[in-house]
mmCIF file of all heavy atoms in Angstrom:
data_model
loop_
_atom_site.group_PDB
_atom_site.id
_atom_site.type_symbol
_atom_site.label_atom_id
_atom_site.label_comp_id
_atom_site.label_asym_id
_atom_site.label_seq_id
_atom_site.Cartn_x
_atom_site.Cartn_y
_atom_site.Cartn_z
ATOM 1 N N SER P 143 -1.339 9.834 8.081
ATOM 2 C CA SER P 143 -0.353 10.321 9.046
ATOM 3 C C SER P 143 0.541 9.149 9.426
ATOM 4 O O SER P 143 0.250 7.994 9.076
ATOM 5 C CB SER P 143 -1.048 10.867 10.291
ATOM 6 O OG SER P 143 -1.632 9.801 11.017
ATOM 7 N N ALA P 144 1.612 9.455 10.162
ATOM 8 C CA ALA P 144 2.517 8.375 10.575
ATOM 9 C C ALA P 144 1.756 7.321 11.373
ATOM 10 O O ALA P 144 2.063 6.131 11.314
ATOM 11 C CB ALA P 144 3.673 8.949 11.392
ATOM 12 N N ALA P 145 0.706 7.749 12.099
ATOM 13 C CA ALA P 145 -0.048 6.816 12.954
ATOM 14 C C ALA P 145 -0.931 5.865 12.137
ATOM 15 O O ALA P 145 -1.359 4.825 12.654
ATOM 16 C CB ALA P 145 -0.920 7.603 13.928
ATOM 17 N N THR P 146 -1.213 6.197 10.883
ATOM 18 C CA THR P 146 -2.098 5.351 10.073
ATOM 19 C C THR P 146 -1.320 4.440 9.116
ATOM 20 O O THR P 146 -1.913 3.763 8.271
ATOM 21 C CB THR P 146 -3.101 6.206 9.261
ATOM 22 O OG1 THR P 146 -2.386 7.062 8.363
ATOM 23 C CG2 THR P 146 -3.986 7.040 10.182
ATOM 24 N N VAL P 147 0.009 4.418 9.247
ATOM 25 C CA VAL P 147 0.832 3.539 8.408
ATOM 26 C C VAL P 147 0.844 2.133 9.011
ATOM 27 O O VAL P 147 1.047 1.976 10.219
ATOM 28 C CB VAL P 147 2.282 4.064 8.310
ATOM 29 C CG1 VAL P 147 3.163 3.102 7.525
ATOM 30 C CG2 VAL P 147 2.302 5.454 7.692
ATOM 31 N N GLY P 148 0.623 1.119 8.198
ATOM 32 C CA GLY P 148 0.661 -0.270 8.652
ATOM 33 C C GLY P 148 2.090 -0.769 8.702
ATOM 34 O O GLY P 148 2.517 -1.560 7.848
ATOM 35 N N THR P 149 2.827 -0.342 9.728
ATOM 36 C CA THR P 149 4.254 -0.702 9.793
ATOM 37 C C THR P 149 4.444 -2.216 9.900
ATOM 38 O O THR P 149 5.390 -2.759 9.324
ATOM 39 C CB THR P 149 4.953 -0.022 10.991
ATOM 40 O OG1 THR P 149 4.212 -0.298 12.175
ATOM 41 C CG2 THR P 149 5.035 1.477 10.793
ATOM 42 N N GLU P 150 3.527 -2.893 10.617
ATOM 43 C CA GLU P 150 3.689 -4.332 10.778
ATOM 44 C C GLU P 150 3.555 -5.034 9.423
ATOM 45 O O GLU P 150 4.318 -5.954 9.099
ATOM 46 C CB GLU P 150 2.654 -4.869 11.771
ATOM 47 C CG GLU P 150 3.003 -6.220 12.324
ATOM 48 C CD GLU P 150 1.940 -6.735 13.310
ATOM 49 O OE1 GLU P 150 1.235 -5.908 13.905
ATOM 50 O OE2 GLU P 150 1.828 -7.969 13.434
ATOM 51 N N ALA P 151 2.571 -4.598 8.629
ATOM 52 C CA ALA P 151 2.380 -5.201 7.306
ATOM 53 C C ALA P 151 3.590 -4.932 6.405
ATOM 54 O O ALA P 151 4.081 -5.839 5.720
ATOM 55 C CB ALA P 151 1.106 -4.661 6.660
ATOM 56 N N LEU P 152 4.095 -3.705 6.419
ATOM 57 C CA LEU P 152 5.251 -3.376 5.575
ATOM 58 C C LEU P 152 6.475 -4.192 6.003
ATOM 59 O O LEU P 152 7.201 -4.736 5.166
ATOM 60 C CB LEU P 152 5.563 -1.878 5.634
ATOM 61 C CG LEU P 152 4.518 -0.978 4.964
ATOM 62 C CD1 LEU P 152 4.834 0.498 5.234
ATOM 63 C CD2 LEU P 152 4.454 -1.239 3.451
ATOM 64 N N ARG P 153 6.686 -4.303 7.314
ATOM 65 C CA ARG P 153 7.830 -5.074 7.800
ATOM 66 C C ARG P 153 7.646 -6.562 7.483
ATOM 67 O O ARG P 153 8.619 -7.269 7.201
ATOM 68 C CB ARG P 153 8.016 -4.847 9.294
ATOM 69 C CG ARG P 153 8.272 -3.361 9.621
ATOM 70 C CD ARG P 153 8.466 -3.154 11.108
ATOM 71 N NE ARG P 153 9.785 -3.620 11.507
ATOM 72 C CZ ARG P 153 10.128 -3.886 12.758
ATOM 73 N NH1 ARG P 153 9.241 -3.770 13.729
ATOM 74 N NH2 ARG P 153 11.346 -4.298 13.031
ATOM 75 N N GLY P 154 6.393 -7.022 7.519
ATOM 76 C CA GLY P 154 6.112 -8.403 7.145
ATOM 77 C C GLY P 154 6.460 -8.666 5.685
ATOM 78 O O GLY P 154 7.077 -9.688 5.346
ATOM 79 N N LEU P 155 6.094 -7.744 4.814
ATOM 80 C CA LEU P 155 6.425 -7.915 3.390
ATOM 81 C C LEU P 155 7.943 -7.914 3.200
ATOM 82 O O LEU P 155 8.479 -8.731 2.436
ATOM 83 C CB LEU P 155 5.756 -6.816 2.555
ATOM 84 C CG LEU P 155 4.216 -6.860 2.559
ATOM 85 C CD1 LEU P 155 3.628 -5.643 1.837
ATOM 86 C CD2 LEU P 155 3.699 -8.154 1.915
ATOM 87 N N TRP P 156 8.635 -7.030 3.896
ATOM 88 C CA TRP P 156 10.100 -7.038 3.828
ATOM 89 C C TRP P 156 10.656 -8.375 4.322
ATOM 90 O O TRP P 156 11.635 -8.889 3.777
ATOM 91 C CB TRP P 156 10.681 -5.883 4.664
ATOM 92 C CG TRP P 156 10.771 -4.580 3.907
ATOM 93 C CD1 TRP P 156 10.821 -4.414 2.552
ATOM 94 C CD2 TRP P 156 10.850 -3.264 4.467
ATOM 95 N NE1 TRP P 156 10.913 -3.078 2.242
ATOM 96 C CE2 TRP P 156 10.944 -2.350 3.399
ATOM 97 C CE3 TRP P 156 10.848 -2.767 5.776
ATOM 98 C CZ2 TRP P 156 11.037 -0.963 3.589
ATOM 99 C CZ3 TRP P 156 10.950 -1.390 5.965
ATOM 100 C CH2 TRP P 156 11.042 -0.504 4.885
ATOM 101 N N SER P 157 10.041 -8.927 5.361
ATOM 102 C CA SER P 157 10.545 -10.199 5.912
ATOM 103 C C SER P 157 10.423 -11.327 4.892
ATOM 104 O O SER P 157 11.127 -12.329 4.975
ATOM 105 C CB SER P 157 9.803 -10.566 7.203
ATOM 106 O OG SER P 157 8.506 -11.088 6.913
#
Side-chain angles (χ1 to χ4, degrees):
Chain P
S143 70
T146 61
V147 176
T149 52
E150 198 180 335
L152 291 173
R153 300 180 75 198
L155 295 174
W156 274 337
S157 77

